Amino acid sequence: MSSSRAAASDLPNDLRARCEAIFNEEEILREGGGKVGQERQRKRGRLPARERIAHLLDSDSRFFEIGLWAAYKMYEQWGSVPAAGAVAGIGRVAGVPCMIIANDATVKAGAFFPQTAKKIIRAQRIAFENALPLIYLVDSSGVFLPMQDEIFPDEDDFGRIFRNNSVISAAGLPQFAAIMGNCVAGGAYLPVLCDKILMTEGSGLYLAGPSLVKAAIGQIVDTEELGGARMHAEISGTVDFYEKDDPSCLKRLRSLVAHLPEAAVTGKSSSEQSVTEPSKNPEAVYDLISAEGRKQYDARDLLASIIDGDSLDEYKADYGKSLVTAYARIGGHSVGIVANQRHQVRTKKAGIQMGGVIYSDSADKAARFVMDCNQTGLPIIFFQDVTGFMVGRDAEQSGIIRSGAKLVSAVSNSIVPKITVVVGGSFGAGNYALCGKAYDPRFILAWPNARYAVMGAAQASDTVFSVLAKSRERGDKKASPEELEQLRAKVKETYEEQTDIRYGAARGWVDAIIQPEDTRKVLTELLGYVSRPMPKGRFHMGVVQT
């Protein structure tokens, strides 16, 4: 009894007064590093942690905070560490209850103390046991080195966080990470183990900072080149969404959470889920795409005539540019989209890439995207206008076969509903990788201009002609130039007949040939069908005579 009195000796004896004192102390804890720390954060163009959370939450959502008293009076030899330098709690984002974990950079630059790790581990456990999506707002200088022996090694320390990231992911719970400041050393693994990674301009993501790199290997490199947002968006491909600033990043996070199936069920996020008309007239595709398939066009312009207006969230927009991967809505239905980019693109890593061709980086990106759609439970729409995978020495050395196999495997094992629309060419292994008939699309549709074959008519006819010509040359009678030319023309005519989409439709390669301007209407209807749960297999004979 005496020890409990001693512990509360600084508090009033009256219950109401004591409650008020605790409340006031909590208000001080919520200030984190105080006005000085918050001002320092704003000078860097960044919002304080709690303001980030306020921007993220629905306007009518309560934030149930956990661990506010973590590290209270525990590390006084190092100064005050309010709330262990992190904010954690549950609130609604786009109508979905989410666990939000945010580093508070106003407290010791967001460094991890022993109780910081334990607080985050506890938040992860609560999220796991209650099937809550997790959102991490990352802004941390990493482990507080003077106490590394109490933070680094044990089963309930720093490393457990990343182990939990992996286990949570395997369980199918969505995890979003937004890097909005520093993310260094071992802490860099947290966002990369999440499903989606956002990163703001001016932030840093690296295993070792410039000073340590110079000391370790003698290399002099600036922060942006080493681990800046632009580098990770364009060169390493690590970051899925490059964002200009905190408000842009938080808006994107809300949009991504609104694509979760739970958001559709709650029906509380009307602004994110409202059906809007496409930003382009569906008839605009006739000016965009040519009948013979030679005209270049931007896949985003095609999508703008099909998806709900302003619903596009493009995934890894600056990486693997010959494929466009994006989250969007069609008639209010959230979907993932994989589409061939049909104009020439330039990348920081590989230079010029041809439209309609799948390269190693775009195959890797699309494979990761298909995995993410399966993790989230989003149907995938494939828009095919593909000439095939890139060939040649550089492509082979880049691992095109390995990357292509990864994409084919991801599509093969995908369990979410898939719908394929052939809007142009569907040639070679590109047909396979982008969910051709052999890969179980729920529906496969084609436009009247679509072409379907192992390769384009020109290449195929030249190849077949070459084989037949050599065969004739080996015979007793040599073929004349006129005969060879007739053979070439016949081969090409036969091949072009076989690439006609009516030829494929006759053989059941596509379910229907649709008019381009009807694509949105048809997809909206089909998405309503594919959202119905598949029947579960069971032994059942019905009524029979015995």
Side-chain angles (χ1 to χ4, degrees):
M1 213 46 182
S2 60
S3 61
S4 64
R5 283 200 193 97
S9 60
D10 60 333
L11 292 172
N13 289 326
D14 177 72
L15 177 59
R16 190 181 297 277
R18 179 171 296 195
C19 291
E20 187 176 348
I22 291 287
F23 176 84
N24 292 336
E25 202 161 2
E26 286 187 338
E27 290 296 295
I28 295 170
L29 291 173
R30 290 191 179 95
E31 291 178 2
K35 292 182 179 178
V36 173
Q38 292 177 19
E39 190 58 36
R40 184 171 61 245
Q41 188 79 340
R42 294 185 201 284
K43 283 181 179 177
R44 293 174 179 159
R46 300 169 186 167
L47 295 173
R50 292 180 184 277
E51 286 190 31
R52 286 171 172 168
I53 292 172
H55 277 71
L56 186 60
L57 293 174
D58 295 347
S59 58
D60 60 348
S61 174
R62 178 176 179 267
F63 184 61
F64 176 72
E65 187 166 355
I66 63 168
L68 176 60
W69 291 87
Y72 178 68
K73 292 188 175 182
M74 287 185 67
Y75 310 115
E76 292 182 330
Q77 69 273 36
W78 303 109
S80 177
V81 188
V87 184
I90 302 167
R92 291 186 180 273
V93 179
V96 179
C98 296
M99 174 63 76
I100 302 168
I101 300 170
N103 299 115
D104 187 347
T106 70
V107 179
K108 309 296 184 190
F112 275 73
F113 284 74
Q115 284 303 123
T116 317
K118 288 174 174 57
K119 176 175 178 173
I120 291 175
I121 291 166
R122 177 59 181 159
Q124 289 179 317
R125 180 174 184 134
I126 290 171
F128 183 82
E129 291 179 343
N130 294 282
L132 298 172
L134 288 106
I135 300 173
Y136 304 91
L137 306 182
V138 183
D139 192 353
S140 169
S141 58
V143 166
F144 185 66
L145 290 176
M147 299 187 70
Q148 64 85 26
D149 61 319
E150 297 182 49
I151 304 167
F152 171 72
D154 214 338
E155 65 182 20
D156 59 349
D157 287 340
F158 198 51
R160 186 73 172 190
I161 295 171
F162 317 132
R163 175 266 185 196
N164 287 349
N165 286 137
S166 304
V167 171
I168 289 167
S169 182
L173 283 179
Q175 295 181 94
F176 305 82
I179 302 166
M180 309 172 80
N182 289 314
C183 184
V184 300
Y189 290 110
L190 183 148
V192 182
L193 287 166
C194 291
D195 304 347
K196 298 177 184 69
I197 311 172
L198 300 82
M199 190 170 180
T200 57
E201 189 177 303
S203 295
L205 171 67
Y206 34 72
L207 291 177
S211 299
L212 185 53
V213 167
K214 183 179 179 182
I217 63 173
Q219 186 180 74
I220 298 173
V221 60
D222 66 37
T223 303
E224 176 57 37
E225 186 182 5
L226 181 66
R230 182 62 69 185
M231 187 283 288
H232 281 305
E234 296 182 355
I235 299 175
S236 78
T238 302
V239 168
D240 304 327
F241 297 91
Y242 171 91
E243 301 297 337
K244 181 182 176 183
D245 52 26
D246 281 17
S248 168
C249 186
L250 296 164
K251 182 180 178 183
R252 178 83 67 183
L253 268 174
R254 284 185 55 80
S255 182
L256 294 173
V257 173
H259 285 297
L260 295 177
E262 299 98 307
V265 171
T266 62
K268 292 182 180 178
S269 179
S270 58
S271 61
E272 283 93 351
Q273 296 176 35
S274 58
V275 178
T276 55
E277 291 301 310
S279 57
K280 286 185 179 292
N281 189 317
E283 297 274 348
V285 295
Y286 289 106
D287 299 321
L288 193 67
I289 299 175
S290 60
E292 78 287 349
R294 295 195 183 96
K295 188 176 178 182
Q296 292 192 18
Y297 64 88
D298 191 326
R300 298 175 191 88
D301 290 333
L302 166 64
L303 297 178
S305 68
I306 297 170
I307 66 172
D308 296 0
D310 299 323
S311 73
L312 190 76
D313 287 306
E314 189 171 350
Y315 175 89
K316 293 189 190 294
D318 299 311
Y319 184 79
K321 294 181 179 181
S322 71
L323 283 175
V324 172
T325 50
Y327 308 99
R329 286 190 181 78
I330 299 176
H333 299 279
S334 286
V335 297
I337 290 173
V338 180
N340 293 106
Q341 179 56 278
R342 285 296 301 182
H343 69 61
Q344 198 175 76
V345 297
R346 178 183 290 276
T347 68
K348 286 278 183 72
K349 215 172 178 182
I352 297 293
Q353 294 183 340
M354 293 184 287
V357 178
I358 302 175
Y359 291 79
S360 295
D361 54 357
S362 50
D364 286 341
K365 173 175 88 168
R368 178 66 180 78
F369 181 75
V370 168
M371 294 177 203
D372 187 75
C373 288
N374 277 270
Q375 185 82 339
T376 306
L378 284 182
I380 307 173
I381 313 291
F382 294 86
F383 289 95
Q384 287 193 9
D385 194 353
V386 58
T387 57
F389 283 85
M390 190 58 189
V391 296
R393 182 195 61 205
D394 292 345
E396 298 295 355
Q397 291 180 359
S398 75
I400 187 67
I401 298 173
R402 182 184 67 246
S403 297
K406 191 188 306 179
L407 177 53
V408 168
S409 179
V411 173
S412 301
N413 289 289
S414 175
I415 59 171
V416 296
K418 304 184 292 285
I419 299 175
T420 301
V421 186
V422 185
V423 301
S426 179
F427 296 117
N431 167 277
Y432 300 161
L434 301 182
C435 200
K437 186 70 182 294
Y439 292 81
D440 298 329
R442 296 280 189 94
F443 298 95
I444 183 165
L445 316 168
W447 287 3
N449 59 305
R451 290 156 294 126
Y452 222 110
V454 72
M455 64 180 78
Q459 304 98 308
S461 58
D462 283 349
T463 303
V464 174
F465 165 75
S466 177
V467 171
L468 292 176
K470 285 179 181 177
S471 177
R472 286 202 175 191
E473 288 295 316
R474 286 195 295 269
D476 294 332
K477 182 182 177 184
K478 305 295 182 185
S480 67
E482 290 79 13
E483 288 176 318
L484 289 175
E485 195 52 46
Q486 286 177 356
L487 178 61
R488 181 192 294 273
K490 184 178 179 183
V491 167
K492 188 173 183 181
E493 181 183 354
T494 301
Y495 203 84
E496 285 182 340
E497 179 188 344
Q498 292 178 0
T499 62
D500 188 316
I501 195 58
R502 292 171 295 181
Y503 184 95
R507 287 154 180 80
W509 299 349
V510 296
D511 296 317
I513 300 174
I514 64 171
Q515 295 300 309
E517 71 271 21
D518 291 337
T519 304
R520 172 181 167 82
K521 179 176 68 178
V522 172
L523 286 176
T524 300
E525 185 177 5
L526 297 184
L527 285 166
Y529 302 151
V530 303
S531 63
R532 296 169 63 85
M534 287 184 68
K536 289 183 169 61
R538 62 191 180 98
F539 180 72
H540 181 66
M541 292 179 61
V543 178
V544 295
Q545 293 293 338
T546 57

